[in-house]
Amino acid sequence: MAGEEGLKVVGFWVSPFVVRVKWALRMKGLEYEYIEEDIFNKTPLLSQLNPVHAKVPVLVHNGKPLAESLIILEYIDETWKHNPLLPADPYERARARFWAGFAEFKILNPSWEALWSKGKQQESAVNSAMEAIEKLEAELNGKQFFGGEKIGYLDLVVGWVAHNLPIFEEVASVKIFDSQKFPAIAEWKNRFLNHPIIKADLPDTEKAYAYFDKRSKELAASFYSAN
């Protein structure tokens, strides 16, 4: 069944970028059609909707496709004004965007590298992610959520820390997140994961572990055989 106003999401079940878009739509109470895309055997539809990168997620609204999850989140928030995700104050909105970019490049990227890398490369990636999480801990600053008293834009962006990061750590046998060192984020993780809207779209943990375990081995074999 097609979603509200022709809303469709093209995604891959375990992608944190796709999941955050699903969360945003649920936060707005919007119905949509979900189209699963095998990113390892891409259909012509994905290239048609996202010809530049041919990646998920893609949001389709009234036949118009939009790519890149952070851009999609802002589009959703600007198009449907109720239950706002971004702060109303321009300065606070800018800060939320800054921390979203910071989390993508300084936490997600090295955490992903730590998933499949080895030796000193992995150690460096772990240290980089930990240093960045320390800065994010300070930003939370005693709030219930990064969005204040309710889940907002930045919470959705860093939501993968609550669900995916423990899986990355287990697969790679590394420790990036220390609940004793980062108590504010540890408490936030519990609140976030227990929110009904968030729980509704969490990928199955066991299936996600199996996927990332296989993916990490493939990436490691490809990288280290070429270097």
Side-chain angles (χ1 to χ4, degrees):
M1 182 177 68
E4 182 173 334
E5 299 187 65
L7 270 177
K8 299 178 182 179
V9 175
V10 181
F12 181 59
W13 69 276
V14 79
S15 167
F17 309 109
V18 173
V19 173
R20 65 175 56 145
V21 171
K22 291 181 174 182
W23 285 335
L25 292 169
R26 281 190 181 271
M27 294 293 291
K28 297 287 187 176
L30 299 170
E31 295 184 359
Y32 62 92
E33 178 185 356
Y34 178 70
I35 302 170
E36 177 73 8
E37 179 73 29
D38 183 351
I39 61 173
F40 300 104
N41 186 24
K42 298 175 183 177
T43 66
L45 175 65
L46 190 57
S47 296
Q48 175 188 341
L49 295 175
N50 187 2
V52 176
H53 299 299
K55 292 181 179 180
V56 294
V58 178
L59 178 75
V60 182
H61 181 208
N62 288 331
K64 298 178 181 179
L66 190 64
E68 302 295 331
S69 65
L70 298 187
I71 294 172
I72 292 172
L73 292 189
E74 292 206 37
Y75 177 82
I76 291 170
D77 205 33
E78 291 173 2
T79 304
W80 294 277
K81 303 293 187 181
H82 62 284
N83 300 333
L85 302 176
L86 280 158
D89 180 75
Y91 176 74
E92 293 302 326
R93 281 204 307 275
R95 282 181 56 82
R97 293 185 181 109
F98 167 82
W99 283 108
F102 175 86
E104 295 289 272
F105 291 104
K106 298 296 186 178
I107 304 178
L108 180 54
N109 286 356
S111 295
W112 179 252
E113 185 177 348
L115 174 68
W116 57 264
S117 59
K118 302 175 183 178
K120 290 185 177 180
Q121 182 182 359
Q122 185 182 65
E123 183 180 348
S124 176
V126 167
N127 289 336
S128 294
M130 289 181 67
E131 290 173 4
I133 291 174
E134 186 173 7
K135 292 180 173 62
L136 194 66
E137 169 84 3
E139 171 61 16
L140 190 53
N141 194 27
K143 295 179 289 188
Q144 293 288 302
F145 296 101
F146 289 99
E149 295 184 358
K150 64 177 185 176
I151 291 174
Y153 169 82
L154 185 55
D155 296 280
L156 301 184
V157 172
V158 300
W160 70 272
V161 170
H163 184 259
N164 292 70
L165 186 55
I167 297 172
F168 289 6
E169 291 176 315
E170 187 175 354
V171 168
S173 299
V174 298
K175 188 67 174 178
I176 295 174
F177 184 84
D178 184 338
S179 60
Q180 298 298 315
K181 188 174 181 180
F182 310 120
I185 295 180
E187 292 179 7
W188 165 85
K189 285 174 61 177
N190 290 331
R191 284 191 291 269
F192 184 79
L193 290 176
N194 284 306
H195 192 286
I197 285 177
I198 301 305
K199 290 170 69 173
D201 272 310
L202 284 175
D204 181 83
T205 301
E206 290 187 10
K207 285 179 60 180
Y209 177 90
Y211 167 79
F212 285 117
D213 184 48
K214 178 183 178 183
R215 190 76 180 117
S216 68
K217 290 179 172 63
E218 292 171 345
L219 289 168
S222 175
F223 180 83
Y224 288 107
S225 65
N227 289 277

